[in-house]
Amino acid sequence: MAFNLLQYPALVSQRRSFHRRWTSLAGLVVGGLMALWWMAGVHEQRLHLEQELALLQSRMKQLQTQLATDKARHAKHTTWQQQAAHVQALKLELQAWEDLHQALLQEVGPDSVQLLRFQFDSQTLELHGQAINLQRMAQAQARLSVPLADPARDKAWTLVSLLNAAGADNAAPSATQEFVWQAHWPQLGASRVAAASGKDRQQAEPVRERP
């Protein structure tokens, strides 16, 4: 078996060059595949994160909608409670007016006490009248205070003015006396507006005079 020693180094160099080329090409292919695999993993992870973000945003939107609904329901419930309390207060106020009206009707009669008028002044109710007998005036004041004597509402009548009808300081004790009784009467709702409009004209409702 004979060898050509002149061609042997060239053959070895060609084989080494061919090996380097194939090795480089294989490295590039493997590197490209690894890069594609890494990019696919990153893309999949990105899609997973986007799905989780969309889910969290959807849950947050649902929570915000639920919170707004709860706030609206709470506000409506509070409004209902306030309206119910206002209606109850108006009912009590109307009952107090009914009690006062019945008391005034019972008090009007043949007696020495004459009720003339009652009127609003701010948050107080004033009842004006005349009396000859101060003892009977005190009794009438006590009778009118009985149906309204509510400690929580303070509707008892208080004597705030007592003057001689003739205006004389030395008048006889039996002369007619003009008196003013006053009771605390806070206004509610529309009554406060009515009282404010009636304050300018000082509305005075007359009471039927006794014969």
Side-chain angles (χ1 to χ4, degrees):
M1 186 175 181
F3 294 96
N4 190 349
L5 297 178
L6 296 177
Q7 295 181 355
Y8 181 74
L11 182 60
V12 173
S13 177
Q14 290 178 359
R15 289 180 177 177
R16 288 180 178 175
S17 178
F18 181 78
H19 179 71
R20 285 197 299 268
R21 290 176 182 175
W22 275 104
T23 303
S24 300
L25 182 60
L28 290 175
V29 171
V30 173
L33 292 176
M34 292 293 293
L36 290 176
W37 176 80
W38 180 78
M39 291 178 64
V42 171
H43 181 67
E44 183 179 0
Q45 186 176 6
R46 180 180 178 181
L47 290 178
H48 181 68
L49 291 177
E50 289 179 352
Q51 291 177 356
E52 289 186 351
L53 179 61
L55 181 61
L56 289 176
Q57 289 178 347
S58 177
R59 290 181 178 177
M60 181 176 294
K61 187 176 180 180
Q62 291 178 358
L63 290 176
Q64 290 176 348
T65 303
Q66 183 66 31
L67 181 61
T69 303
D70 293 341
K71 285 185 177 180
R73 186 182 296 111
H74 180 70
K76 185 179 295 185
H77 181 68
T78 303
T79 302
W80 288 345
Q81 286 182 334
Q82 292 176 351
Q83 290 178 351
H86 185 68
V87 169
Q88 182 64 22
L90 287 177
K91 182 179 179 180
L92 294 177
E93 190 75 9
L94 290 176
Q95 184 61 44
W97 273 113
E98 180 65 21
D99 293 341
L100 174 61
H101 182 256
Q102 294 297 330
L104 290 175
L105 291 180
Q106 292 176 4
E107 197 60 33
V108 175
D111 204 341
S112 60
V113 178
Q114 185 179 13
L115 304 179
L116 300 179
R117 68 184 184 276
F118 65 92
Q119 65 187 34
F120 280 113
D121 183 9
S122 184
Q123 290 190 352
T124 59
L125 185 64
E126 291 185 355
L127 180 59
H128 297 245
Q130 294 181 348
I132 297 177
N133 191 316
L134 297 183
Q135 181 179 1
R136 291 194 176 184
M137 183 197 70
Q139 293 174 354
Q141 178 184 357
R143 286 194 299 269
L144 281 177
S145 299
V146 169
L148 305 177
D150 186 355
R153 299 175 64 83
D154 189 18
K155 290 296 190 297
W157 294 98
T158 303
L159 181 63
V160 295
S161 176
L162 181 62
L163 299 174
N164 189 278
D169 296 335
N170 56 354
S174 59
T176 302
Q177 304 290 324
E178 293 184 354
F179 62 85
V180 179
W181 295 334
Q182 192 177 82
H184 179 63
W185 203 291
Q187 305 300 303
L188 295 174
S191 301
R192 186 178 289 108
V193 178
S197 62
K199 184 178 179 181
D200 297 334
R201 64 177 181 270
Q202 291 294 324
Q203 180 179 1
E205 181 175 346
V207 181
R208 195 159 45 88
E209 295 185 0
R210 298 175 181 172

